Amino acid sequence: MKLKKNAPVPTLAEERKHILNDKTPFAAQEAYKNLRTNLMFSTAGDGCKVILVTSPEQGEAKSTTAVNLALSFAQNNSKVLLVDGDLRLPTVARKLALDGAPGLTDLLVGRAKTNEAMRILSNGLYLLPSGTVPPNPVELLGARQMENMIEFLRKSFDYIIIDTPPVNVVSDALVLSPRADGTVLVVRQGVSTMKSTEEAIRKLEFAEAKILGFVFTDVHSEKKHGKYGGKYSYSYGRRKSEGETRNNP
Ligand SMILES: Nc1ncnc2c1ncn2[C@@H]1O[C@H](COP(=O)(O)OP(=O)(O)OP(=O)(O)O)[C@@H](O)[C@H]1O
Ligand SMILES: [Mg+2]
């Protein structure tokens, strides 16, 4: 399967609709706090934690989840770097109404310095956008320079959150996953099936990625929770095979 580059491009308003802000419904804010807490516990230990965000298929809300996760960690006084590692269909900078270049790719090929490629969003939140779209994303992400860059950046941050393309479509996230401390798999109701989710898990495990848990997005719950049902029923949890069930159903 190929990335659908000709899929209708969401408007800026649509892109930003689910990014955390003052008007975000309470249930969604709480769901992200839960996700943050769960990730803090599942990556406990000293030093910076590098967390990869991916999904089985396209359009499952990976980038939205990555941005919100970074905002949520920063709100909790952590120093966070959000990296747009989706070099094919980058949207993180657009979701934050910023320029996407220069960024990661320019830094990797030596065309920009760290202070030119990185944006300071607030006191504890930094963005490394994707940069100029390259012809060879997998090679670039798998290159020694990328590994060195992550190790170098670890020294300056508490969390590095990396948005990536879908694992069942291209191998970019699989190439990056061994460099991370853990991977979060975003699964959207109506997009990923059980089969495609299992395929993604198999691929990630083969790449020796540590799957930290799942984020279920756009969940249409039968039962409305007060006035905040439907799309804000995010969930997070570990796999049942690891002896735990997902919480916040
Ligand atoms: N919880 C949600 N409920 C409904 N729509 C959502 C939700 N989260 C994000 N969206 C919307 O879904 C669309 C796709 O989201 P996003 O760009 O985060 O997906 P993606 O997985 O990164 O896509 P791609 O595979 O193209 O990188 C956007 O228009 C976004 O606003
Ligand atoms: Mg995306």
Side-chain angles (χ1 to χ4, degrees):
M1 205 192 289
K2 283 195 146 185
L3 270 184
K4 292 178 211 141
K5 295 203 176 186
N6 297 330
V9 181
T11 62
L12 191 56
E14 281 164 353
E15 286 267 23
R16 306 209 61 198
K17 192 172 161 198
H18 297 275
I19 301 299
L20 287 176
N21 62 62
D22 297 346
K23 299 196 180 95
T24 300
F26 178 75
Q29 297 199 23
E30 283 303 300
Y32 274 106
K33 279 187 196 159
N34 263 334
L35 174 61
R36 178 185 73 202
T37 307
N38 279 315
L39 286 175
M40 281 166 74
F41 279 111
S42 54
T43 60
D46 288 341
C48 171
K49 300 291 174 258
V50 178
I51 299 173
L52 209 81
V53 179
T54 193
S55 66
E57 308 297 338
Q58 206 171 333
E60 303 211 53
K62 294 175 288 302
S63 306
T64 305
T65 303
V67 172
N68 287 344
L69 204 49
L71 289 169
S72 185
F73 273 120
Q75 275 165 11
N76 200 39
N77 297 324
S78 293
K79 192 172 174 195
V80 187
L81 173 64
L82 172 61
V83 180
D84 194 345
D86 189 338
L87 308 182
R88 299 169 192 265
L89 293 175
T91 61
V92 171
R94 202 164 64 226
K95 287 188 197 305
L96 294 166
L98 294 165
D99 282 341
L104 173 61
T105 56
D106 305 284
L107 194 58
L108 289 175
V109 301
R111 215 165 38 194
K113 298 200 178 85
T114 311
N115 63 346
E116 292 164 334
M118 210 181 271
R119 323 273 191 279
I120 304 173
L121 302 188
S122 65
N123 228 346
L125 182 58
Y126 295 69
L127 168 71
L128 183 56
S130 57
T132 313
V133 174
N136 55 344
V138 181
E139 286 79 5
L140 217 47
L141 294 172
R144 176 59 59 87
Q145 287 92 318
M146 183 70 194
E147 190 177 355
N148 293 346
M149 193 200 76
I150 292 177
E151 291 316 307
F152 172 75
L153 292 171
R154 273 181 189 272
K155 295 181 194 133
S156 306
F157 294 94
D158 299 315
Y159 291 93
I160 299 178
I161 314 282
I162 310 180
D163 183 29
T164 61
V167 286
N168 288 351
V169 184
V170 288
S171 54
D172 306 26
L174 300 173
V175 162
L176 264 184
S177 58
R179 320 251 193 269
D181 298 297
T183 296
V184 171
L185 203 58
V186 179
V187 176
R188 184 171 189 156
Q189 183 170 344
V191 175
S192 264
T193 58
M194 187 67 97
K195 197 166 158 240
S196 64
T197 306
E198 281 171 357
E199 187 186 337
I201 293 170
R202 236 187 346 266
K203 286 182 172 169
L204 284 164
E205 286 182 341
F206 188 71
E208 299 193 356
K210 182 180 179 198
I211 301 175
L212 298 171
F214 302 84
V215 174
F216 298 100
T217 56
D218 204 3
V219 177
H220 302 273
S221 72
E222 304 257 309
K223 204 172 90 191
K224 297 272 179 194
H225 302 285
K227 60 181 193 173
Y228 302 122
K231 290 182 187 253
Y232 291 107
S233 301
Y234 293 83
S235 302
Y236 173 84
R238 279 170 182 261
R239 296 171 59 193
K240 283 191 178 168
S241 61
E242 289 172 9
E244 291 176 48
T245 51
R246 65 190 168 93
N247 54 17
N248 194 23

